[in-house]
Amino acid sequence: MPESFVTGIDQQTQEQMCEVLNERLAVGIDLRLAVKQAHWNLRGQGFIGVHEMLDEVSARLGESTDMMAERVALMGGFAKGTTQVVADKTTLDAYPVELTALDDHVSELVSRFKTFGKMIREGMEAADAAGDEDTADLLTEVSRTVEKDTWFIGSNAAA
C-alpha cells in the first residue's frame, strides 16, 4: 500500500474504510453513467428541464465520487474506478439502454438513487463504528447531495 497521510486511525481501519469507499465509488460511477444514459436518450413533456438538470446531477455525482476516491488515496489505498472494476463491482441493476420515455427514465433513476443513498448511509454507519469521523462526514455530505438529487429527479414524475 502507498503511504497514508491520515493520523489517528490505525492501518487496519484505514484499509477497511478504503474497501467501504471503493464499494461506493463503483456504484457512484455506475450511477453517473446511468444519469448520462438518461440525459442522452430521454424524450417527452418537460424534456429540456430534465435534460439540463441531469447534466448538473451528473456533475455532482462526479464531485462525490472524486471525494471518495481522494479519501481512499490519502489513506494509502488505491481508488478503483476503472470501467472494468465498476462493471465487476457495481450492485446496481443494468440500466436499460433503449428507454426514451421521460417518466420511465425518472422511475429508473429514482430507484437507483434510493439504492445508492441506502448504501451511502450504511457506509456512514460503518465509518462511525470504526471511529473514522472524517469518512463518516464525507459520506454524510454525499448522502445529502444524493437525497436532494433523488428529490429533484423524482419531482419530475407525472402526477
Side-chain angles (χ1 to χ4, degrees):
M1 258 177 99
E3 178 183 0
S4 171
F5 297 94
V6 173
T7 57
I9 301 173
D10 63 70
Q11 184 176 351
Q12 182 179 352
T13 300
Q14 289 181 56
E15 289 172 6
Q16 176 190 2
M17 290 300 96
C18 287
E19 186 176 316
V20 165
L21 288 164
N22 269 317
E23 289 169 356
R24 279 131 194 94
L25 177 63
V27 174
I29 291 169
D30 186 25
L31 183 57
R32 186 175 186 197
L33 292 171
V35 167
K36 292 307 286 186
Q37 180 68 28
H39 166 83
W40 296 322
N41 292 292
L42 64 86
R43 307 283 184 275
Q45 187 72 29
F47 161 80
I48 194 63
V50 175
H51 178 79
E52 290 175 351
M53 176 193 61
L54 291 180
D55 260 343
E56 296 169 5
V57 168
S58 174
R60 285 189 290 274
L61 279 169
E63 292 168 7
S64 293
T65 55
D66 194 52
M67 287 190 307
M68 290 186 277
E70 288 174 351
R71 178 82 180 147
V72 169
L74 74 91
M75 286 194 290
F78 292 98
K80 299 174 183 175
T82 66
T83 56
Q84 294 80 12
V85 170
V86 171
D88 184 52
K89 299 293 183 184
T90 188
T91 56
L92 295 179
D93 291 335
Y95 197 86
V97 296
E98 296 185 1
L99 287 182
T100 57
L102 189 144
D103 286 341
D104 291 343
H105 282 292
V106 165
S107 177
E108 292 287 341
L109 290 173
V110 166
S111 173
R112 283 164 179 76
F113 267 79
K114 286 182 177 181
T115 297
F116 186 51
K118 182 176 186 274
M119 188 178 195
I120 293 297
R121 286 190 173 276
E122 290 167 352
M124 290 163 45
E125 292 169 7
D128 278 337
D132 184 354
E133 295 173 1
D134 289 340
T135 297
D137 184 56
L138 182 152
L139 292 172
T140 299
E141 182 178 344
V142 172
S143 177
R144 284 189 197 107
T145 301
V146 168
E147 287 181 353
K148 189 172 183 180
D149 283 336
T150 305
W151 171 50
F152 283 172
I153 295 165
S155 294
N156 288 282

